Amino acid sequence: MKNARTAGIEQDFPAWMVWVSREGAYWGAVRRDPRSTLPPTVIADSEDELRAALAVQPNGGVLTR
């Protein structure tokens, strides 16, 4: 599911498409570049955990093209 909070994360981390489960129990992100050799997905239990995980990913905030 997409919402204003997922859109905010996508603005901060443009290389990722972000989603949240309907109940808000799971947060996830998938790299926008399918050809990337970097880890393709990140799953977390909260928005804060997802932001922290994306921040330490290689090339976390930069769109690779």
Side-chain angles (χ1 to χ4, degrees):
M1 183 170 91
K2 305 289 260 180
N3 60 28
R5 291 166 65 189
T6 60
I9 297 171
E10 288 179 347
Q11 286 179 346
D12 295 341
F13 300 96
W16 298 89
M17 291 185 289
V18 178
W19 57 268
V20 62
S21 66
R22 186 178 312 265
E23 302 82 20
Y26 301 103
W27 291 73
V30 178
R31 285 196 187 273
R32 290 185 185 274
D33 183 359
R35 295 176 308 244
S36 176
T37 58
L38 298 170
T41 59
V42 173
I43 305 294
D45 292 328
S46 69
E47 178 180 358
D48 290 339
E49 284 183 18
L50 182 63
R51 285 182 172 277
L54 293 177
V56 299
Q57 287 292 313
N59 214 16
V62 179
L63 184 59
T64 55
R65 292 221 175 181

